[in-house]
Amino acid sequence: MSCGEPHETDCTEVLDHLYEYLDREMPEGDCTKFESHFEECSPCLEKYGLEQAVKKLVKRCCGHDDVPTDLRAKVMGRIELIRSGETVTEPLGGPASDLAGTDVPASAEGA
């Protein structure tokens, strides 16, 4: 997605790192670049607003459930693999039997 206008920070870069911005996981200087981009690019601002709303909804609906430690570790490991650029082809946690017996809260099953 791009608005077709030239920006100091390209739309693709902003959208590729949108969740890092939303989760406050990027350096302050990058946050400032993103904020400047949102001020001049309405399509990216709209996408940011949508993703922010989804994140708030998920937190409100599912944010009170405790996540099993082993499941959290598997998800965080997968995120690190993806961020490092490795190709991930098998389902989360390996074979489905790895997740068998994992206690998933009822409110997370339909998410």
Side-chain angles (χ1 to χ4, degrees), residues 19-20 23 25 71-86 88 92:
Y19 275 95
E20 291 171 62
D23 295 337
E25 296 177 343
L71 179 59
R72 179 174 174 74
K74 289 175 184 179
V75 170
M76 294 307 293
R78 177 61 62 91
I79 290 170
E80 290 305 315
L81 285 174
I82 292 169
R83 283 186 177 164
S84 71
E86 289 189 39
V88 180
L92 181 63

Side-chain angles (χ1 to χ4, degrees), residues 70 74 90-102:
D70 61 331
K74 289 175 184 179
E90 68 180 44
L92 181 63
S97 61
D98 283 357
L99 295 177
T102 302

Side-chain angles (χ1 to χ4, degrees), residues 10-62:
D10 188 63
C11 295
T12 303
E13 179 183 349
V14 170
L15 297 176
D16 285 348
H17 298 281
L18 186 56
Y19 275 95
E20 291 171 62
Y21 177 80
L22 280 167
D23 295 337
R24 302 171 195 239
E25 296 177 343
M26 61 177 21
E28 185 62 36
D30 289 344
C31 288
T32 302
K33 287 186 344 184
F34 277 43
E35 289 161 3
S36 295
H37 183 91
F38 293 137
E39 288 177 9
E40 60 188 35
C41 183
S42 60
C44 287
L45 178 62
E46 184 178 332
K47 179 70 172 169
Y48 163 73
L50 175 64
E51 296 300 331
Q52 185 180 42
V54 168
K55 186 174 172 71
K56 284 180 181 179
L57 179 63
V58 169
K59 182 177 182 178
R60 189 182 74 212
C61 295
C62 305

